[in-house]
Amino acid sequence: TSSLKTSYNRMIQNLHLISNTNSPTPLDIWLPTNKYIKPLIVNQFAAGYFRNFMQNTVETSIEFYYKDMQNVLDYKDGAELFLNEDLETELLNGSGYAYGTELMIKKQEGDFNGWISYTLARSMREIPGINNGNPYPSTYDRTHDISIVLNHELRKNLSLSANWIFSTGNPVTYPAAKYDIQGNTLFYYSARNANRIPAYHRLDLSATYNFRKNEHKKVKQSLNLSLYNVYARRNAYSIYFRQNESNPSVIDATRLSIIGSIIPSITYNINF
């Protein structure tokens, strides 16, 4: 009913993802290893304790991990990434590390089942020339991450599902001051990734009807009705800053949301 597991992984990746957290648009760029860019090297250690309850119908676990990264890339302050043919000149090389704890409880049998998982984690970068050489959160740093999934079988051929997720907002660099030069407004940015966009959370609901549910049938058909983002949360994709049209001396912070409404969908599945 219980087990202790440990692992070690060493990975080498020859493709780098460069993300710009200052931009409201998805300026993510993939760069391959070349004579100027070294491959990313990662060493990860993990250990966990797993235990089952109620005749192995309920699983619980707690895991710890630590990841060390070498040859991490990030753009320097004031870098020009868009349509830059010599992007290597805008990048700096350093190290990074990530660590965290993951907890989960899962019930996988019965009319009512599902799971709850929680992750407490940090992902940091330390690159000379950025943030005065001090560690700073990476683009992927999410302190808290929660997932709750519940399934309930009302009848043999009808089931309901609910899914709720929450995560800390991604790190981002906000301007700390502005100044004018010959009629042009320029922003001054403080510490790298010192701010965060608002937290992300969302609720989804669905109902699935199985036509003549029979485990021995080779062809199975089902109809699914779902609602995405049930309470119409306007999760922020990014926050950008611009001058107020009526008062140029005032700077407005604007939230950019990709999805801010309920999205219904219907799916017909045939499995054979």
Side-chain angles (χ1 to χ4, degrees):
T1 59
S2 63
S3 61
L4 180 66
K5 303 177 183 180
T6 61
S7 68
Y8 165 74
N9 290 301
R10 179 177 174 86
M11 297 163 280
I12 299 177
Q13 180 171 305
N14 290 292
L15 199 59
H16 297 262
L17 176 62
I18 312 300
S19 300
N20 187 348
T21 60
N22 289 337
S23 174
T25 57
L27 287 178
D28 289 344
I29 301 171
W30 292 93
L31 284 181
T33 299
N34 54 41
K35 63 179 180 180
Y36 302 107
I37 299 177
K38 299 179 181 179
L40 176 67
I41 300 176
V42 176
N43 293 287
Q44 178 172 305
F45 306 86
Y49 177 71
F50 302 77
R51 183 174 177 84
N52 295 348
F53 297 92
M54 300 174 62
Q55 297 180 345
N56 292 329
T57 59
V58 176
E59 299 179 0
T60 62
S61 65
I62 179 170
E63 294 183 84
F64 306 92
Y65 71 89
Y66 180 84
K67 181 187 296 184
D68 176 75
M69 293 166 278
Q70 302 297 324
N71 302 327
V72 175
L73 295 179
D74 206 344
Y75 60 91
K76 62 185 182 182
D77 293 335
E80 291 291 339
L81 303 182
F82 189 65
L83 298 179
N84 187 343
E85 296 182 358
D86 300 315
L87 194 59
E88 294 87 350
T89 62
E90 305 291 339
L91 302 175
L92 295 175
N93 182 293
S95 61
Y97 58 92
Y99 58 90
T101 303
E102 299 177 342
L103 300 99
M104 187 179 73
I105 178 171
K106 180 179 181 180
K107 184 178 184 294
Q108 53 188 359
E109 295 183 12
D111 294 340
F112 187 84
N113 58 74
W115 70 84
I116 300 175
S117 65
Y118 169 69
T119 301
L120 175 66
R122 294 306 309 269
S123 176
M124 306 295 291
R125 299 287 185 265
E126 190 170 355
I127 300 178
I130 299 177
N131 204 41
N132 296 320
N134 298 317
Y136 62 93
S138 76
T139 306
Y140 314 101
D141 181 75
R142 292 184 178 181
T143 309
H144 305 284
D145 197 309
I146 303 173
S147 295
I148 301 176
V149 177
L150 301 175
N151 303 304
H152 180 50
E153 189 171 5
L154 291 178
R155 296 198 301 267
K156 187 175 182 180
N157 59 348
L158 179 62
S159 61
L160 303 177
S161 298
N163 172 53
W164 185 76
I165 60 175
F166 172 92
S167 64
T168 304
N170 290 339
V172 66
T173 306
Y174 288 160
K178 68 182 181 72
Y179 51 94
D180 296 324
I181 298 180
Q182 297 179 350
N184 297 318
T185 299
L186 303 177
F187 293 104
Y188 168 76
Y189 294 88
S190 58
R192 178 71 62 90
N193 287 352
N195 308 99
R196 290 182 183 272
I197 63 175
Y200 181 100
H201 53 88
R202 189 188 80 241
L203 173 65
D204 305 326
L205 299 175
S206 70
T208 302
Y209 178 80
N210 295 284
F211 295 92
R212 297 180 180 178
K213 187 172 182 180
N214 187 334
E215 300 299 332
H216 301 290
K217 291 187 64 174
K218 294 183 178 180
V219 178
K220 299 178 182 179
Q221 304 174 62
S222 64
L223 181 67
N224 176 268
L225 301 175
S226 65
L227 293 175
Y228 179 90
N229 196 23
V230 171
Y231 49 81
R233 163 79 174 175
R234 290 186 64 249
N235 287 299
Y237 178 79
S238 66
I239 304 292
Y240 63 96
F241 297 82
R242 61 183 179 183
Q243 286 182 317
N244 186 289
E245 295 182 357
S246 59
N247 187 357
S249 63
V250 175
I251 301 299
D252 292 331
T254 303
R255 174 189 297 201
L256 175 63
S257 298
I258 304 299
I259 297 176
S261 59
I262 303 174
I263 299 179
S265 67
I266 180 170
T267 307
Y268 180 71
N269 297 300
I270 300 177
N271 298 320
F272 53 91

